[in-house]
Amino acid sequence: MSPNTTIALKVTPADRRVARFAAAAIALTVAEAAIPTPLPGIKPGLANIVVLVVLARYGWREAAWVSLLRVVAGSLLVGQFLAPGFFLSLTGALLSLAVLAFSSRLPQRAFGPVSQSVLAAFAHIGGQVLLARLWLVPHDGVFYLVPAFAVFALFFGIINGLIAARLLRENAP
Amino acid sequence: MKSWLALVKAGDWLVAGLAAIAVALSFPLLWRGGQAERAVIRVDGRIFAEYPLDAPRRIEVPGPLGKTMIEMEPGRARVQSDPGPRQYCVLQGWLARAGAVAICAPNHVSLMLTGQQVSYDSLNY
């Protein structure tokens, strides 16, 4: 190979979309990291709004890309990469993507972004608590926190779902 | 407000409603732990008596200084009176969680609550 060879990677429109949405999600993650929280682990999860919008408009595959890029790049930016918080976040994201893979097949007429958001939020805390129980705090005391987490998951799940639904309606293609 | 409500579909109400029920149920289910079920009374470190906390009872416990009165009610117990000089165990008031202990050291009497699960006790924790 001569030193002047240029390797051009083919960039598809989907790649550009994923990059753009992931950037928006990462920005929200960083902004959110500045908000003080009463309990570690309770966050609004604003980046999930972006994931929901991508899911509704471009399907699960791209939503999964955005979500996972968000977890990796977001943790790099806030200095949490490979720290416990990163693995909690990753587990939560993977589990909510798994749930979204099923819930996005529900009839769209009855189940909108609010349903997806609430289900994903519960999957998110479920994954985190499970990993925390198995790895970080191997004691059932972790489950004492579940009701508190669940209240916030429900609350922010509904709010994020409403915002995603509104964005989808106002920017309908 | 109305424009926001229009974004919620029938299935969304269902999901949110079921989730709210699950959240409400998680409180009694997961926060029940630590409920006291029995009271163990010790004198000089040896078990003097053990009662289930299911009915009101008043127990007189003899110690070297005199009588310590222990009062029980469903789910809780306290040292009602004690001849000790500083009254720490009396001032502790009602104990209601498993593992809680009131010690009347001068009179060598202790009251400890136990529950279903053996958890830490409040002395060694």
Side-chain angles (χ1 to χ4, degrees), chain A:
Chain A
M1 202 190 284
S2 83
N4 294 329
T5 313
T6 317
I7 301 172
L9 294 172
K10 238 175 87 184
V11 182
T12 64
D15 293 338
R16 291 184 201 282
R17 269 202 308 270
V18 166
R20 213 172 53 226
F21 281 112
I26 291 161
L28 286 172
T29 303
V30 173
E32 199 175 75
I35 302 173
T37 55
L39 236 178
I42 290 179
K43 280 184 198 171
L46 298 173
N48 298 319
I49 297 168
V50 180
V51 176
L52 289 168
V53 168
V54 175
L55 176 75
R57 195 150 290 163
Y58 306 106
W60 186 83
R61 243 183 92 86
E62 290 188 26
W65 269 111
V66 170
S67 171
L68 296 175
L69 280 172
R70 195 277 297 175
V71 170
V72 174
S75 73
L76 279 172
L77 284 173
V78 297
Q80 284 282 316
F81 185 57
L82 299 187
F86 165 76
F87 289 104
L88 290 173
S89 175
L90 182 64
T91 316
L94 287 173
L95 215 71
S96 41
L97 284 172
V99 166
L100 286 174
F102 286 100
S103 71
S104 58
R105 301 235 165 89
L106 290 168
Q108 301 258 321
R109 200 164 41 81
F111 297 93
V114 177
S115 295
Q116 318 277 7
S117 180
V118 170
L119 292 171
F122 276 96
H124 212 283
I125 55 151
Q128 294 193 354
V129 168
L130 225 59
L131 182 73
R133 171 67 184 81
L134 294 174
W135 177 43
L136 295 173
V137 191
H139 183 270
D140 281 340
V142 174
F143 296 121
Y144 277 106
L145 295 174
V146 167
F149 285 152
V151 167
F152 283 96
L154 180 63
F155 179 71
F156 289 125
I158 290 172
I159 301 280
N160 289 351
L162 285 172
I163 296 173
R166 181 129 189 187
L167 287 173
L168 284 164
R169 190 187 61 183
E170 286 180 1
N171 303 300

Side-chain angles (χ1 to χ4, degrees), chain B residues 51-113:
Chain B
Y51 297 95
L53 291 172
D54 55 359
R57 276 192 194 85
R58 293 183 69 197
I59 315 294
E60 209 180 279
V61 186
L65 295 186
K67 284 179 274 187
T68 299
M69 292 298 296
I70 304 232
E71 187 178 7
M72 293 172 209
E73 279 185 9
R76 60 183 196 162
R78 67 166 172 169
V79 179
Q80 194 184 26
S81 67
D82 179 70
R86 281 171 293 273
Q87 300 285 303
Y88 289 139
C89 56
V90 181
L91 293 172
Q92 258 183 285
W94 289 102
L95 310 178
R97 294 189 70 82
V101 184
I103 299 171
C104 307
N107 207 22
H108 300 199
V109 174
S110 77
L111 165 68
M112 179 180 172
L113 304 192

Side-chain angles (χ1 to χ4, degrees), chain B residues 6-60:
Chain B
L7 298 168
V8 186
K9 300 177 183 178
D12 296 339
W13 285 110
L14 183 74
V15 169
L18 289 177
I21 292 171
V23 169
L25 287 178
S26 75
F27 278 90
L29 206 70
L30 294 167
W31 282 4
R32 177 191 51 188
Q35 206 173 43
E37 281 168 9
R38 299 179 72 78
V40 181
I41 302 163
R42 286 187 171 87
V43 180
D44 277 325
R46 278 183 290 277
I47 292 179
F48 170 79
E50 194 177 342
Y51 297 95
L53 291 172
D54 55 359
R57 276 192 194 85
R58 293 183 69 197
I59 315 294
E60 209 180 279

